[in-house]
């Protein structure tokens, strides 16, 4: 324990991790770290370099040549920078999601990003979301949540989110993308998506956003402030 609290939220794409974690971070004044965005930035770098994203040697050779940094804007939103360029919007494109999932399967990439993620937790109270936060990145986290929902429910939400950003897609396309990533993220050898043994399982298929938020907020309060005191 380093004097800072850590909350780990893991789960498949589209379970609502990012939006819930962001709101929780605001409520409890933690820093929100979206680790998927970091993998997405590596995926984008590989895509731009035109290399085979499954070729570990090629991707590993690229890593020392690029700079990946993160920051927060005035609204407290996480921004990702690739060689100093703000790529926060571009990393959300569907083709980059696939690149991110591909590079995330490479042990060299995971090892490279591990320290960056741990450092955030050494210096801040963090709510970190991803796939292996409770199992690998922050095994000592005070609270681990494994957030899930059916593939259909996740595809419906992702489609609405894309539409709100003006991105046109179809339900089938989004569902296919989610299923591709579920299989790849769960079956890879390196830090696969799985619930930590001590994680609290939360299925949001039948819950709306506010209900999910209330449930998670209650978990945070119960786990981190059993006697109504949160300050350390
Ligand atoms: O959470 P997301 O959909 O933005 O993540 C993009 C990809 O990165 C996803 O396919 C899984 C991978 N990822 C990972 O392997 N480990 C993490 N901690 C976060 C994301």
């Amino acid at each position: 324990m380093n004097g800072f609290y850590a909350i780990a939220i893991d789960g498949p794409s589209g379970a609502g991790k990012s939006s819930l974690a962001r709101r929780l971070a605001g409520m409890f004044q933690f820093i929100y770290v979206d680790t998927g965005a970091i993998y997405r930035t590596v995926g984008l770098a590989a895509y731009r370099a035109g290399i085979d994203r499954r070729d570990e040697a090629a991707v590993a050779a690229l890593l020392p040549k690029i700079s990946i940094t993160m920051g927060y804007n005035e609204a407290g939103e996480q921004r990702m920078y690739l060689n100093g360029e703000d790529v926060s919007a571009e990393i959300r494109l569907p083709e980059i999601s696939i690149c991110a999932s591909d590079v995330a399967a490479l042990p060299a990439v995971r090892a490279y990003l591990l320290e960056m993620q741990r450092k955030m937790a050494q210096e801040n109270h963090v709510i970190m979301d991803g796939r292996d936060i409770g199992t690998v990145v922050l095994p000592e986290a005070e609270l681990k949540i494994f957030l899930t929902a059916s593939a259909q429910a996740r595809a419906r939400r992702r489609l609405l989110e894309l539409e709100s950003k003006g991105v046109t897609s179809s339900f089938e396309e989004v569902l296919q993308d989610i299923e591709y990533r579920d299989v790849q993220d769960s079956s890879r050898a390196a830090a696969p998506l799985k619930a930590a043994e001590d994680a609290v399982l939360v299925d949001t298929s039948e819950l709306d956003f506010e209900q999910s938020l209330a449930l998670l907020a209650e978990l945070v309060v119960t786990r981190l402030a059993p006697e109504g005191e949160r300050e350390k």
Side-chain angles (χ1 to χ4, degrees):
M1 184 65 230
N2 58 13
F4 291 104
Y5 285 112
I7 299 174
I9 306 188
D10 292 300
S13 324
K17 296 187 301 292
S18 308
S19 36
L20 287 165
R22 192 175 306 119
R23 277 283 291 278
L24 279 177
M27 286 166 74
F28 294 95
Q29 293 177 354
F30 278 40
I31 295 230
Y32 166 53
V33 182
D34 171 2
T35 63
I38 312 176
Y39 284 95
R40 285 170 179 274
T41 307
V42 177
L44 175 65
Y47 177 83
R48 284 189 180 173
I51 57 173
D52 176 358
R53 289 120 33 191
R54 290 156 173 269
D55 179 341
E56 184 159 22
V59 178
L62 178 70
L63 293 173
K65 297 187 200 140
I66 57 175
S67 137
I68 293 177
T69 47
M70 53 189 280
Y72 292 87
N73 68 11
E74 281 155 20
E77 292 160 351
Q78 179 178 324
R79 312 299 295 178
M80 291 307 305
Y81 301 91
L82 175 59
N83 301 324
E85 175 192 347
D86 186 341
V87 292
S88 311
E90 198 172 345
I91 56 170
R92 300 289 154 198
L93 294 173
E95 59 268 36
I96 304 305
S97 302
I98 302 290
C99 296
S101 179
D102 289 342
V103 297
L106 307 174
V109 171
R110 306 203 72 85
Y112 185 80
L113 298 185
L114 189 62
E115 280 319 301
M116 183 176 179
Q117 297 168 59
R118 286 197 176 145
K119 194 159 184 287
M120 295 297 294
Q122 277 155 11
E123 297 168 356
N124 306 280
H125 293 303
V126 291
I127 297 191
M128 194 173 283
D129 84 11
R131 303 296 188 287
D132 62 339
I133 309 305
T135 50
V136 177
V137 182
L138 304 176
E140 308 291 324
E142 278 74 17
L143 172 63
K144 299 177 187 178
I145 295 167
F146 193 82
L147 198 70
T148 190
S150 68
Q152 306 275 332
R154 289 184 284 128
R156 271 196 303 277
R157 291 178 196 157
R158 185 49 62 95
L159 188 63
L160 287 175
E161 187 189 330
L162 287 171
E163 278 170 5
S164 74
K165 289 179 182 154
V167 180
T168 327
S169 202
S170 69
F171 178 76
E172 288 68 30
E173 211 176 337
V174 174
L175 183 62
Q176 223 175 32
D177 170 65
I178 281 187
E179 286 173 341
Y180 172 93
R181 291 203 283 149
D182 277 1
V183 170
Q184 177 155 285
D185 296 342
S186 315
S187 62
R188 69 181 179 217
L193 165 67
K194 72 167 195 273
E197 272 175 21
D198 51 350
V200 182
L201 251 72
V202 177
D203 185 327
T204 65
S205 305
E206 305 294 328
L207 303 178
D208 67 20
F209 182 83
E210 292 303 328
Q211 290 168 325
S212 309
L213 183 65
L215 191 74
L216 296 195
E218 196 184 314
L219 282 174
V220 175
V221 170
T222 316
R223 186 66 64 92
L224 269 49
E227 274 126 46
E229 270 178 62
R230 203 174 58 74
E231 287 310 310
K232 263 199 176 179

